[in-house]
Amino acid sequence: MAMMIEQTLSERDFKQIASYIESHVGIKMPAAKRLMMQSRLAGRLRSLNIPTYRQYIDYVFSKNGTNQDELILMIDALTTNLTEFFRESGHFDFMSGTALPALVASGYKQIKLWSAGCSSGEEPYTLSIVMQEFMRKNPGQINAYSVLATDISTKVLNKAAEAVYALDSIKKLSLEMKRRYFLRSKNISEPKVRVKSDIRNHVSFARLNFMDEDFGFRDTMQIIFCRNVLIYFDKPTQEAVIRKFMNFLEPGGYLFLGHSETIFGMNLPLKNVSPTVFQKI
């Protein structure tokens, strides 16, 4: 017989977890997120055979320190991941039509890109496709490129590395683009596609928490995408994260934010060059 799981997450337990998520991950958890937290953590309780949320909290935050393995799974459960191929397509038009030609004119032959908050991989693979298309249409201008893709969720990083998606996820792409960059499965009952190796081989994945002081890499980039991630942070945290990005963005490089995000009121070495696209001064 299945074990009964506590039905309600108490206000006290919600506040303890919400406080940890906000201070260590940077994501705000207002009271309105209580039911969401309750339903998402119920799955963790079931899989661990823990009957109450209080016992689960004790398990995660034990007297001997946090249970790091479970902490990562808890964060996975509570962070929202929503993305698609060529989402907010104007950014990719600007990248191929303006940013890349400007970088080439500045003497760059190799381009390094970073998808910060890559979720399940659609964005970094889109960046790789955009690079391939630019190189195909402008032979000799760029010799090489690489895409670093990071996220705090190990669950979505694993999915991203597999590069397998529902057929519907590429329905907005032209038939030519589908054929050039995706392989279709032979399973008619569950139609899926996989990103071709030519695109995948330019993308590397790593787990990263924006709250960490040291991001663990030293490369500098010409292009950084961090879209629809900062909306979960308060204003001071947003500015602190973008300041960290500036350590990895070369002068003249480009930062792309989500269409609902802004750097208004922040004192940063960036100029606005297109809607939610900024160039480092």
Side-chain angles (χ1 to χ4, degrees), residues 38-70:
Q38 177 182 299
S39 65
R40 292 190 180 184
L41 290 184
R44 294 304 312 143
L45 269 65
R46 273 190 220 95
S47 66
L48 293 165
N49 266 347
I50 294 176
T52 71
Y53 290 99
R54 173 45 45 188
Q55 286 174 284
Y56 177 73
I57 288 172
D58 290 342
Y59 175 72
V60 178
F61 307 105
S62 70
K63 292 175 184 174
N64 301 321
T66 54
N67 179 332
Q68 289 297 319
D69 291 340
E70 182 56 34

Side-chain angles (χ1 to χ4, degrees), residues 185-202:
S185 70
K186 294 183 171 64
N187 185 349
I188 299 171
S189 62
E190 194 179 0
K192 291 186 181 295
V193 293
R194 190 176 194 210
V195 181
K196 285 187 177 181
S197 60
D198 286 355
I199 297 301
R200 298 197 316 269
N201 291 344
H202 291 272

Side-chain angles (χ1 to χ4, degrees), residues 224-237:
I224 298 176
F225 271 66
C226 183
R227 305 186 305 164
N228 309 302
V229 177
L230 297 178
I231 52 173
Y232 297 108
F233 302 163
D234 60 26
K235 203 75 173 177
T237 307

